[in-house]
Amino acid sequence: MSGSARIGIVLSSGGIRGVYAHTGFMQAIQGLGIPVHASVGCSAGALVGGFFASGTSMESWSKSLAVVDSQSFWTPDSVLQFFWQMAAHKGRGYTGLSDTSAATQFTLENLSVNTFEECIYPFQTLAVNLTTGKKEIFSEGELAPRMVASAAMPILYEPKKIKGQYYCDGALIDFAPTDAICCKYDLDVVIVHHVSQVFGVEKDLNEALKDSWAMLEIINRLLFRVKPWYLTGQPLSFHRCPCGCGSVVIVIEPELTQMRWPVTEGGDAVLISAREQVESLLTPYMEKLMEDPREGLPLFKGAVRHPATGCGHNQ
């Protein structure tokens, strides 16, 4: 199907589950013939988004993901090393359980180009600058370190040092930065694939804290306590960009099984489920999406909070 609409992609944070889910999403996007004119990713979304923006083929990335294990991206200190750092050095200079060398090498091995400037379409990543405490959007320079910086969750990973500044997981500030591309590339549509954690009632937390890596449950709940402006709780919703550019923001919130960090088991099922849900949700709207999205797509009617100001308004 050919069309004239300019379409951007936003891939949210989402941990190890997000890597598989976003891969399924991109498979659906390619299978439906949707052209991508710009993209931005946060955390897991920065990784998957970066691979595809670099020109890495679906076949190549799928092969890498099929054999990936936690050692490819996660090399924590042993218990003995950890307690030695705490006891002998009182934690001086100890900033994370794992360095980012393995994750950076894995990223490099799966990129087809090395810099943002070489990508096949404009691509950006989001990280938090620990010096300023503010979000920073990367759009130039080396891809791998900036992709990894976006995914370097505090405590789990050491902050990533880039040009003398330290950076960590962009999800601390913004799960899916629609404002990074929606008003900058003359886009008609921005498709958000949101796969960040969703938490249940209190009894679920009681059970979760008995599980392995209970510390991560606490970190996740602190990170994901704020609901992004575009979420409705529905699998599919259509919004007008609150920044005023007039583009349509399509939000997909797939229902996916949970995955515990850093286990990759069950990832294939998440990938397939995400792909099938995206295909099912978008197929009925393909003609309008490709040809006349600003006028033809049904917009969500309800209060929306502006991503920058937090001010609410009705669409």
Side-chain angles (χ1 to χ4, degrees), residues 81-146:
Q81 288 173 313
F82 173 77
F83 281 109
W84 172 254
Q85 288 284 349
M86 295 298 105
H89 301 286
K90 297 182 179 180
R92 293 188 184 92
Y94 196 79
T95 57
L97 296 175
S98 172
D99 64 25
T100 58
S101 57
T104 302
Q105 183 59 37
F106 175 76
T107 301
L108 281 169
E109 291 172 355
N110 286 282
L111 286 170
S112 292
V113 298
N114 292 324
T115 67
F116 285 86
E117 291 82 356
E118 298 172 279
C119 287
I120 59 178
Y121 48 75
F123 171 67
Q124 302 186 38
T125 66
L126 165 70
V128 176
N129 185 319
L130 291 177
T131 299
T132 64
K134 298 179 179 180
K135 75 177 183 181
E136 190 163 325
I137 302 292
F138 294 121
S139 60
E140 58 184 27
E142 291 183 90
L143 280 163
R146 289 161 177 82

Side-chain angles (χ1 to χ4, degrees), residues 178-218:
T178 57
D179 57 316
I181 61 170
C182 66
C183 304
K184 296 180 180 179
Y185 297 105
D186 192 27
L187 300 174
D188 297 296
V189 179
V190 174
I191 305 176
V192 180
H193 193 230
H194 186 94
V195 295
S196 295
Q197 296 276 6
V198 177
F199 296 104
V201 295
E202 185 176 353
K203 65 179 182 181
D204 297 324
L205 177 58
N206 292 330
E207 292 302 315
L209 293 181
K210 299 175 184 178
D211 207 345
S212 59
W213 287 94
M215 178 179 64
L216 289 184
E217 191 72 18
I218 297 173

Side-chain angles (χ1 to χ4, degrees), residues 23 27 52 56-67 271:
T23 299
Q27 287 180 346
F52 288 110
T56 298
S57 69
M58 187 69 71
E59 180 182 7
S60 176
W61 169 238
S62 296
K63 287 181 179 179
S64 295
L65 192 57
V67 297
L271 185 156

Side-chain angles (χ1 to χ4, degrees), residues 32-51:
L32 291 169
I34 298 174
V36 179
H37 294 87
S39 72
V40 61
C42 177
S43 198
L47 296 174
V48 177
F51 294 143

